[in-house]
Structures are given as structure tokens and as C-alpha cells.
Amino acid sequence: MSTVVASKGEKFATQVPLLIIGAGAAGLCAALTANEAGVDAVVVERDAVPAGSTALSAGLIPAAGTRFQRAKGFSDSPQLLAADIARKAKDEVDPRVVDAVARGAAPLLEWLAERHGFPFEVVDNFSYPGHSAMRMHGLPSRTGQELIDRLRNAAEANDIVILTQSTAEQLMVDPNSRIFGAEIVRRDGAREWIGCDALILACNGFGGSPELVRRYIPEMANALYFGHAGNRGHAVNWGSALGAQLVHLGSYQGHGSVATPQNILISWAVIMQGGIQVNCEGRRFSDETQGYSEQAVEVLKQPGGFAWDVFDARIAAVARQFEDFRNAERAGAILTFDTVAGLAAAMRVPAAIFCAEWSEVEKLKSSNGQDQYGRNFSAEQACTPPYHAIKVTGALFHTQGGLAIDPNGRVKRNDGTMFPNLFAAGGSAAGVSGSTAAGYLSGNGLLTATVIGHLAGKAAADVLR
Ligand SMILES: Cc1cc2nc3c(=O)[nH]c(=O)nc-3n(C[C@H](O)[C@H](O)[C@H](O)COP(=O)(O)OP(=O)(O)OC[C@H]3O[C@@H](n4cnc5c(N)ncnc54)[C@H](O)[C@@H]3O)c2cc1C
């Protein structure tokens, strides 16, 4: 249930300055920031231990102009990052929000590193599609689990209260759109209203609601949902009941490379380093380097709804930095053969067709050529034995549409004015990916979760002081 109760204003037995719904990256970045600004934040989280989609992610956050980049000699700027985001989203974005996340990312990562001890590094051995600089930052394990664990530890070290096993179901609002509190349902079914002076929605989107996915993203209605099951669209439902502007509800992050049937994410490094995807007929079907998000639908369109990632041992060595890839190896998801004909037989694809596709691609690499789909190849991407293949499918990772916000995460009403004390960050807010899956630039999810979470925490603290 996610409803809104009208009231003239109310005080409850439990009253907090700032209430945050959801303890993912967005909620915890907001809480840490508000706490540093001297405002007590209480976070409510449905799960026993905060995890969210953040824990399922690779934990990679794009940031431009960081000291981590400078240490490795990579030049970059927030302007370049903003231009990359806008280009991928075909300019269907609020430039002020794009500017805020592009400018805010480097200071945020450096703050997490210096103030809270996060050991960020730049991924320096492959580029992500659409990024014109090496700017993806991750933690040593390259997992979102490490990111959320470090955020939770930082929150606990700063005495931030996280009420776990507590699901927010109803909000209370007055005629001036001021939010007074939220009703929380505990694990044992007990209900309690918590009053607040400001509220941040950080409970992600609606990927975990099959009904909302069917309504807003019909092309992914039957796809595997690979995000956190608890993200059931509370923010969108509340926003709709409150008269908030909802933007780009059809937008989402997909991924065209989830090992099946093991359900393990296979890094797009396998493609960007020179790997290809073929269908069950052994044929390529697209320019895979456009982006992994839009490739989800391309893979699902193939006979049987699957494809094969094909690459070599050099590429596997790059992908092995990801725990997920190592888990896929342990789970036996990866085929290995010394010849492409051997691989074709194991993949059960027509050998003649697949071998011809493979030779054509290797020829294009040696001549730095371009294929019929517009994909550019280069000589350093040449593949040599042994060869690998992984059967993959397309999945929905998280929704990118949501509540329209200003650059500080403040939620907009339908008439364009702002709610006085309501903020949204991460998957609860509209992202910076435009109206379709193709507008998702790698890292947009955690970029907006962490940076808008941080900015919303600061803005909410400003409202309360
Ligand atoms: C497999 C996978 C890989 C990804 N890899 C990357 C990546 O490398 N880089 C990147 O930028 N993005 C990545 N993403 C996207 C990224 O994970 C999300 O964009 C990001 O985690 C969103 O953060 P959030 O805080 O908004 O949501 P979440 O982390 O999902 O947190 C929301 C929290 O709210 C809680 N909640 C929900 N409803 C309620 C309620 N009513 N009451 C109380 N609590 C509630 C949930 O339990 C959850 O803990 C990936 C996603 C997936 C699924």
C-alpha cells in the first residue's frame, strides 16, 4: 500500500527533523550529509540489513576531475561528463540537474574518501560506452555490496538511526503540500506514525512492481527483473497522489549481458574490449557498443530471448576484476575452446555461420574497420585462442523515470512550483537518462543516487536550520 492522507497538520508521539525512506546509496548519502550539517536524520528501511539495488550493482560511479583520475594522468572535466550524459539522453534532460550531478560527483567521492575512508579507484583498463574519459570509480571488490556496507558502517559510526524491517506505507500532507509524517509498518505488522519536518524519498523506483512495469515499460514486462525486489514504486504512487510531476516513466536501465540460467551479471568489458554477441543462429544482430542498457531489448528480441557473449582469454583477464565474473566462472557459466568451431559446437549454433561472422569481425579489427551496424573495431581488440562464450539474456535493472526534481532534489508539483519540504533522490526521482533505455549512460544510476542524495541531504538540512 502506498497512499496519502490529508491533514491540517499533526504532531506525533515520535517526531524527527528529517525522515528518509530507504537505506540504499541515495538514502544513506543523504543521511550522512544531513548529519554532518548538524541535522538528525532517521532512515526507515524495509529490509533487516540495508542492501537495495545498490548492493546488487557493480558499485561503479562516474566522476570527472577527481584526484584519483589525476593520480593516473587522466584528464577530464565536469563539462565533458555533462556533455556525455546529455548526448546519450538525446538532450531529453533537465540541464540544471545534469550540471549538478556532473559538478557534484568528484567532490562527493573525495568527501566519501576523506571523511569516511572509502578507498575509491578509477577503473583504468577499459572504457564504458558513451564516456569520453576514464572516469568510472569503484571500490577494490568492484561490488555494490562493498559500497552499501561502507555506507552503512559510516552511518552507524555517526550514530545515524536506521529503523530496519520498517516499511513506509502512507504519507500525511496538509493543503499546502507540506508533508507531516509517514506511517511505518513493522515486521510484526505493528503500525506507527513518525512525524517529520522534512522528508526525502530514497526508496528507488518501481522495477519490483510487475503491475507498474507492465503499465509504464511494456517492452520489459516479461523480462527478468534483476534489481531489488523491495522497490515496488512507493515514490511514484505517493508522487501521483500528491500531485507531483512524474517524468519519463518509460525510461529504465536494462542490461544485455546477464548469464543465464545462472543469473550473474557479466561485465560489458567483455564487449568493449572486442567481444561480440551472436544469437542462436550464430549471427550478430547489432552494434553492441551502443550501450548495455538498450542491448537488453535487442537480446530479448532474438529467437529464444538469449544471445552468446563471445570473447577471448585476454578479455576474460580484464573482466576477472569483477567478482561477478569470477562467480560466473565458478558457476561453470563460461565455455572455453581453442577453436571457434569447437565453441560453435558447444554453443549449438551453426558452425559455418558463426565462424564466418567471427572471421569477418577479426578482419575488421585488423583493418580498424567499421561493420554494417556502425560498430568500429581496432587492431588491439584482436582475439586469440583460447576463446570463451557465455549464454546471456536481457534484464531490467532499475527504472529511471520518477518524480521531477530541481538540482537539489526538491520535488516539483504538477504546476511547476516546489513542495516545501519534500525531496527525492536516486531511483525515486527522474534520472538523467531521458525517455528511453537507450538514454542510460553507464553509471547514471549510482551517479544520481549518491550525488542527488548528498545534495538533497544538504538542502533538507538548510530548510530545517
Ligand atoms: C545488477 C545491477 C548492477 C548495477 N550496476 C550499477 C553500476 O555499476 N553503476 C551504477 O551507477 N548503477 C548501477 N546499477 C543501478 C544502481 O544499483 C541503482 O541506480 C542505485 O543503487 C539506486 O540507489 P537507490 O538508493 O535509489 O535505491 P536502492 O539501493 O534500491 O535503495 C532503496 C531502498 O529503499 C528500500 N525501500 C523501498 N521501499 C521502501 C519503503 N516503502 N519503506 C522503507 N524502505 C523501502 C529498499 O528496501 C532499498 O533498500 C545497477 C543495478 C543493478 C540491479
Side-chain angles (χ1 to χ4, degrees), residues 43-55:
V43 188
V44 294
E45 166 55 51
R46 57 179 300 136
D47 290 345
V49 179
S53 285
T54 302

Side-chain angles (χ1 to χ4, degrees), residues 1 21-28 44-47 49-62 128 136 148 166-169 202-205 225-228 230-234 238 253 255 265 292 324 396-400 425-428 440-450:
M1 191 167 72
I21 300 178
L28 293 181
V44 294
E45 166 55 51
R46 57 179 300 136
D47 290 345
V49 179
S53 285
T54 302
L56 301 171
S57 77
L60 296 174
I61 308 172
Y128 276 83
M136 212 56 96
I148 196 75
S166 303
T167 304
E169 290 206 339
C203 44
N204 208 326
Y225 171 52
F226 212 57
H228 184 62
N231 296 329
R232 301 205 178 136
H234 279 91
W238 285 322
Q253 179 201 8
H255 207 291
L265 170 62
Y292 53 67
D324 281 335
L396 169 64
F397 274 19
H398 75 282
T399 54
Q400 274 280 292
S428 294
Y440 184 88
L441 183 71
S442 312
N444 273 359
L446 283 173
L447 176 67
T448 50
T450 54

